[in-house]
C-alpha cells in the first residue's frame, strides 16, 4: 500500500534513473553546499578523510531511496574518499515519520548508521510502527531506551527534521530521493556509474574553484 503511493510521489524526482540528463543536474552556490553539510547532527558513512560529501534526502518508505541504497554502498567500497550524510525527510505519513525519528533516536545509542541501514534495506513496506521496532530490535537497538530518547530528545529531533525539510524545500525538491554531490543537486535515483561520474565531476569542480579563488 505504502509502496504504491510512494512510487507515484518518488517518480516525480526519479524519471532519469538510467540516463543522467544534463538538465537533471543543478549546480548550487558554494555557500549553499557549505551550509547544508555544516554542523551535521548525525555521523556520516564513509571515509573520515573524504574530499567529496554526498547528502541524501530520503524517506524510509521511498522505493527509489531503497533502490539507490545498495548503489551508495558500492560507491563507498569503490571510493574511500567519499562520505555520505543521510538527511531524513519523512513525507509519506506517520510510519515514515516514526521511522525517521527512531533512526535519529538510535544515535544516542551509537547506532544511527546501523539503524539507517536496517530500515532502508528492509524488503517490505513499513506499514506499521511495529515493523520499524522489529527491524531495529534485530540489530541490537534497545527499544526501551529508544522510546525514552524519542521523548527526551524530542526538541533536538524536531530541529533536525525541520532543518532537513527547510533544506529540501530550499532546493525545490519535490520528492525523494534527492542528492547533493559537491555542488551538484540531482533530484533522482542514481546508479553506481552515475554516482562515480558525479563524484568525479565534484572533484573537478573543487579544483576549478580552487584555481578561481583569490590569492591570500
Amino acid at each position: 500500500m505504502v509502496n504504491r503511493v510512494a512510487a507515484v510521489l518518488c517518480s516525480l524526482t526519479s524519471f532519469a534513473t538510467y540516463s543522467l540528463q544534463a538538465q537533471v543536474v543543478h549546480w548550487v552556490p558554494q555557500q549553499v553546499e557549505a551550509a547544508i553539510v555544516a554542523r551535521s547532527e548525525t555521523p556520516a558513512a564513509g571515509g573520515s578523510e573524504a574530499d567529496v560529501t554526498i547528502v541524501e534526502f530520503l524517506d524510509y518508505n521511498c522505493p527509489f531511496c531503497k533502490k539507490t541504497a545498495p548503489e551508495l554502498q558500492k560507491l563507498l567500497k569503490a571510493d574511500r574518499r567519499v562520505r555520505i550524510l543521510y538527511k531524513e525527510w519523512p513525507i509519506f505519513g506517520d510510519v515514515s515519520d516514526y521511522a525517521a525519528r527512531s533512526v535519529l533516536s538510535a544515535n544516542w545509542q551509537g547506532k544511527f548508521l546501523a539503524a539507517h541501514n536496517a530500515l532502508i534495506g528492509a524488503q517490505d513496506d513499513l506499514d506499521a510502527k511495529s515493523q520499524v521496532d522489529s527491524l531495529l530490535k534485530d540489530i541490537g537497538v534497545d527499544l526501551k531506551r529508544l522510546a525514552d530518547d524519542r521523548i527526551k530528545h524530542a526538541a533536538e529531533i524536531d530541529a533536525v527534521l525541520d532543518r532537513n525539510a527547510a533544506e529540501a524545500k530550499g532546493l525545490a525538491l519535490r520528492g525523494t530521493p534527492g542528492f547533493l554531490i559537491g555542488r551538484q543537486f540531482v533530484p533522482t535515483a542514481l546508479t553506481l556509474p552515475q554516482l562515480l561520474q558525479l563524484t568525479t565531476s565534484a572533484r573537478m569542480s573543487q579544483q576549478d574553484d580552487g584555481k578561481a579563488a583569490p590569492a591570500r
Side-chain angles (χ1 to χ4, degrees):
M1 293 181 292
V2 171
N3 203 34
R4 286 196 296 272
V5 175
V8 173
L9 293 174
C10 285
S11 67
L12 292 173
T13 63
S14 300
F15 55 86
T17 302
Y18 296 104
S19 60
L20 192 61
Q21 304 294 330
Q23 62 267 29
V24 176
V25 180
H26 309 284
W27 289 82
V28 304
Q30 282 181 286
Q31 59 267 33
V32 172
E33 177 205 2
I36 290 176
V37 302
R39 299 179 290 103
S40 175
E41 295 84 358
T42 54
S48 59
E49 299 182 1
D51 61 356
V52 172
T53 297
I54 296 175
V55 177
E56 180 187 11
F57 293 90
L58 64 100
D59 184 296
Y60 289 109
N61 262 322
C62 169
F64 291 100
C65 298
K66 292 177 178 291
K67 183 176 182 178
T68 302
E71 302 299 291
L72 291 170
Q73 293 303 313
K74 293 174 188 175
L75 177 66
L76 291 177
K77 292 180 180 178
D79 190 335
R80 301 293 182 178
R81 294 187 297 149
V82 170
R83 69 171 187 151
I84 304 173
L85 290 175
Y86 299 112
K87 287 184 176 269
E88 291 77 9
W89 187 35
I91 57 176
F92 296 135
D94 290 344
V95 177
S96 288
D97 185 75
Y98 181 81
R101 291 176 182 278
S102 295
V103 171
L104 290 169
S105 298
N107 196 38
W108 279 278
Q109 296 185 42
K111 294 183 180 293
F112 170 80
L113 290 176
H116 165 83
N117 290 336
L119 297 193
I120 204 66
Q123 297 298 312
D124 299 323
D125 298 344
L126 300 177
D127 290 324
K129 295 177 181 179
S130 59
Q131 289 174 269
V132 175
D133 290 344
S134 179
L135 288 166
L136 296 182
K137 182 178 180 180
D138 286 345
I139 61 165
V141 172
D142 183 328
L143 296 184
K144 172 63 168 61
R145 181 178 173 186
L146 191 74
D148 290 343
D149 284 333
R150 267 197 305 267
I151 297 172
K152 180 179 178 181
H153 300 286
E156 295 161 83
I157 293 170
D158 285 343
V160 171
L161 294 177
D162 288 346
R163 173 185 173 179
N164 294 351
E167 291 172 347
K169 292 176 182 176
L171 291 168
L173 186 57
R174 297 168 60 198
T176 53
F179 295 92
L180 186 63
I181 302 176
R183 295 198 295 113
Q184 304 160 107
F185 174 60
V186 188
T188 181
L190 295 169
T191 63
L192 177 60
Q194 292 168 344
L195 288 164
L196 290 168
Q197 172 191 341
L198 290 161
T199 300
T200 298
S201 179
R203 289 197 175 101
M204 292 176 63
S205 175
Q206 289 173 358
Q207 294 173 1
D208 291 341
D209 290 341
K211 292 176 183 177
R216 298 191 179 186

